[in-house]
Amino acid sequence: MIRTVESDPHMSAPVLAAYGYCEAVTGQQARNFAYGIRLLPTPKRRAMSALYAFSRRVDDIGDGALAPEVKAKRLEETRTLLARIRDRSVGEDDTDPVAVALRHTADHFPVPLEGLDELIDGVLMDVRGETYETWDDLKVYCRCVAGAIGRLSLGVFGTEPGARGAERAPEYADTLGLALQLTNILRDVREDAGDGRTYLPADDLAKFGCSAGFDGSRPPEGSDFAGLVHFEVRRARALFAEGYRLLPMLDRRSGACVAAMAGIYRRLLDRIEREPEAVLRGRVSLPGREKAYVAVRGLSGLDARHVSRRTVRRRA
């Protein structure tokens, strides 16, 4: 069982301000993520915001306009800061609010901070311009930039006492992260191409005649772009199905948070499946009312109960 420890109710003003900064960053830059974590109790919501703010900093370095060698240097500096947080050498009076908040989170929740090292490793893959020949190659990247975040989040959520199969919770959290990242890759295929990045496996691109890439609003001439998208959608759905086995292991509000975030991405996947070429024309997104419905469904526990029933049927 993975336990969590509630935050100190007598939080100091500097720590409170640091968390406030992280929550502001999260609300401004991660609408889908922020939509999910608002379902959490305050200590967990703040902790998730700290994890997001640090992760956002790492991503922003990778996505910025700096030269690759400068990005690599900045990322290693961020890794050094992470080592200071891990060593508890960041004090409440530190001038970096993200470091202060993450140090407090690490003091109060069993988050595996090495997951943030993995995130840095993944962003360094982007800086080096790595491409991926096979799905197994891409999985290494996805585990770094998303699976690790799933495992970090589980450190905040914890598992319910006596939850059956809880020893596999980190595995399911990791798999759910892969599902979210593959959905992101499909959604952002045109945007990534514009930045000179290709994430979909080269052997999949070749199989569907898409090796020429995606530099316009239409698929490559003679390609089966819809076939490629549907193939990757099926892969993502299988990952979601496996990762959703985490839900019955979480408390109601943590499960609602995960169900809301994952549910938003599953609905994005539905839209992409219905109209594959839409991802070449712009970013596919959900309206606020649909996100609200997903959140209510998660809070009701419908997804967790569905997974529990399905798991029982499989064991029967």
Side-chain angles (χ1 to χ4, degrees):
M1 179 178 66
I2 300 171
R3 297 185 181 275
T4 61
V5 181
E6 293 301 319
S7 297
D8 184 349
H10 305 295
M11 190 180 297
S12 70
V15 172
L16 192 60
Y19 275 126
Y21 174 85
C22 292
E23 290 193 276
V25 169
T26 303
Q28 292 166 6
Q29 300 190 37
R31 293 179 182 176
N32 290 344
F33 185 83
Y35 216 95
I37 67 171
R38 71 174 61 177
L39 302 173
L40 295 171
T42 299
K44 291 184 179 183
R45 188 188 70 243
R46 287 173 175 159
M48 291 294 289
S49 294
L51 288 172
Y52 175 82
F54 190 93
S55 302
R56 180 76 263 168
R57 178 179 296 181
V58 174
D59 285 342
D60 284 347
I61 294 171
D63 291 338
L66 298 171
E69 62 273 16
V70 179
K71 289 182 179 182
K73 182 175 183 293
R74 294 279 180 88
L75 288 168
E76 291 305 331
E77 290 171 351
T78 306
R79 198 191 299 276
T80 299
L81 173 61
L82 180 60
R84 289 182 56 225
I85 295 168
R86 186 183 292 111
D87 294 342
R88 307 298 196 264
S89 60
V90 172
E92 291 186 2
D93 59 347
D94 196 281
T95 57
D96 187 334
V98 176
V100 172
L102 188 56
R103 156 71 196 271
H104 188 272
T105 292
D107 283 347
H108 291 80
F109 294 92
V111 289
L113 290 178
E114 62 272 13
L116 292 170
D117 274 307
E118 292 180 53
L119 173 63
I120 294 170
D121 292 339
V123 174
L124 281 169
M125 293 181 197
D126 283 336
V127 171
R128 293 192 294 264
E130 291 193 17
T131 55
Y132 308 96
E133 289 297 316
T134 67
W135 167 238
D136 284 341
D137 295 333
L138 180 58
K139 275 197 296 188
V140 174
Y141 171 77
C142 291
R143 289 194 191 283
C144 284
V145 300
I149 302 302
R151 286 177 265 122
L152 284 157
S153 300
L154 182 62
V156 175
F157 298 145
T159 55
E160 282 284 80
R164 180 177 293 185
E167 70 279 358
R168 298 190 66 184
E171 173 190 335
Y172 296 141
D174 184 276
T175 300
L176 200 52
L178 264 64
L180 299 177
Q181 186 62 24
L182 182 53
T183 304
N184 268 334
I185 288 171
L186 286 172
R187 182 193 63 184
D188 297 339
V189 65
R190 170 73 186 279
E191 181 180 333
D192 290 333
D195 292 335
R197 295 176 181 173
T198 301
Y199 291 103
L200 291 175
D203 59 0
D204 292 353
L205 295 174
K207 185 187 306 181
F208 293 96
C210 294
S211 297
F214 312 105
D215 58 358
S217 59
R218 297 183 64 81
E221 187 71 26
S223 69
D224 181 12
F225 180 72
L228 171 67
V229 169
H230 291 154
F231 178 80
E232 303 298 348
V233 165
R234 288 194 297 273
R235 175 176 279 156
R237 288 196 191 286
L239 292 168
F240 273 117
E242 181 72 7
Y244 261 51
R245 298 178 74 173
L246 175 66
L247 291 182
M249 301 175 185
L250 305 178
D251 67 75
R252 179 171 174 266
R253 291 176 71 177
S254 295
C257 171
V258 174
M261 288 189 287
I264 287 169
Y265 278 86
R266 285 186 70 184
R267 283 173 174 266
L268 284 174
L269 205 60
D270 291 342
R271 290 194 170 204
I272 292 169
E273 182 179 39
R274 287 195 299 269
E275 192 178 359
E277 290 189 24
V279 299
L280 298 178
R281 298 193 294 269
R283 173 170 285 206
V284 179
S285 61
L286 298 184
R289 64 181 181 278
E290 194 165 349
K291 292 180 183 179
Y293 169 78
V294 173
V296 170
R297 180 181 173 87
L299 198 57
S300 72
L302 285 172
D303 292 317
R305 289 197 295 273
H306 174 71
V307 173
S308 294
R309 288 194 297 270
R310 189 173 59 199
T311 301
V312 168
R313 286 198 299 270
R314 284 178 178 174
R315 290 195 183 110

